[in-house]
Amino acid sequence: MNQYIKEFWEAWNDPHARHAFLVHTPLVLGALGVFPLLGLAWRGFKSRPMRIVCITWFILMSGLAFMAEEAGEAAAGNLLSLDPPMTGAEARAIEHHEELGEDGWIWPLIPGVLTALTFIPKRPIRLGAGILGVIAAIGVSAWVAVTGHAGGRLVYVHGLGVPERTP
């Protein structure tokens, strides 16, 4: 067991591994986040427990996305010292992924806040906020897919962020 803990901490101290470790949970939460909201919509945006689940879902996603973004920034800094140096295509791919992920922790807060507004007892506000929350969750899901795909291309097309980069 001690060896596994040691390996975990070694991986955690590597920004590339930490980013990969942290990014997958917000990816899953973002991709699936619309489903709890659809369940809440099915209940007319009235279920208190489901509201709390949805709000917690997006807050958790936001926090993990923030941690993944911080690890990604550290990992990107390590790529500057590659030998051989990055190609122009690799640098553009990193820039694209960074632009998509920058401040990405904010996006999940939008459906979270809109879901919180469903606690307002006036039916038009509750329904309007709930419907906008579902739309926002769909947008978050799309953003997660595009950002994750850009990150996957860095690893699987360009070979960046892996222990050994192949030319």
Side-chain angles (χ1 to χ4, degrees), residues 1-19 21 78 163:
M1 186 66 153
N2 224 3
Q3 179 64 23
Y4 295 117
I5 293 170
K6 182 182 175 199
E7 288 177 11
F8 172 80
W9 284 116
E10 286 174 2
W12 188 260
N13 288 324
D14 174 14
H16 297 287
R18 187 171 61 247
H19 179 67
F21 175 77
N78 287 348

Side-chain angles (χ1 to χ4, degrees), residues 51-73:
R51 288 175 182 153
I52 292 169
V53 165
C54 292
I55 293 165
T56 303
W57 183 290
F58 288 106
I59 289 172
L60 178 63
M61 180 189 170
S62 176
L64 289 167
F66 179 80
M67 292 171 62
E69 179 184 339
E70 293 297 308
E73 288 290 326

Side-chain angles (χ1 to χ4, degrees), residues 29-153:
L29 291 174
L32 300 177
V34 72
F35 293 110
L37 274 172
L38 288 174
L40 180 60
W42 183 263
R43 311 243 358 214
F45 300 104
K46 292 180 188 177
S47 170
R48 179 178 172 83
M50 288 188 76
R51 288 175 182 153
I52 292 169
V53 165
C54 292
I55 293 165
T56 303
W57 183 290
F58 288 106
I59 289 172
L60 178 63
M61 180 189 170
S62 176
L64 289 167
F66 179 80
M67 292 171 62
E69 179 184 339
E70 293 297 308
E73 288 290 326
N78 287 348
L79 294 176
L80 298 175
S81 62
L82 287 175
D83 186 30
M86 283 189 292
T87 66
E90 291 169 337
R92 285 188 299 278
I94 287 172
E95 179 68 25
H96 177 63
H97 181 60
E98 282 182 339
E99 286 176 2
L100 288 167
E102 192 171 7
D103 297 326
W105 61 272
I106 295 170
W107 297 115
L109 295 177
I110 297 169
V113 167
L114 288 165
T115 302
L117 291 175
T118 65
F119 278 106
I120 296 173
K122 294 184 179 178
R123 187 173 190 272
I125 294 173
R126 186 183 73 242
L127 292 177
I131 291 166
L132 289 174
V134 170
I135 293 167
I138 292 168
V140 167
S141 181
W143 165 77
V144 160
V146 171
T147 305
H149 179 70
R153 288 185 53 79

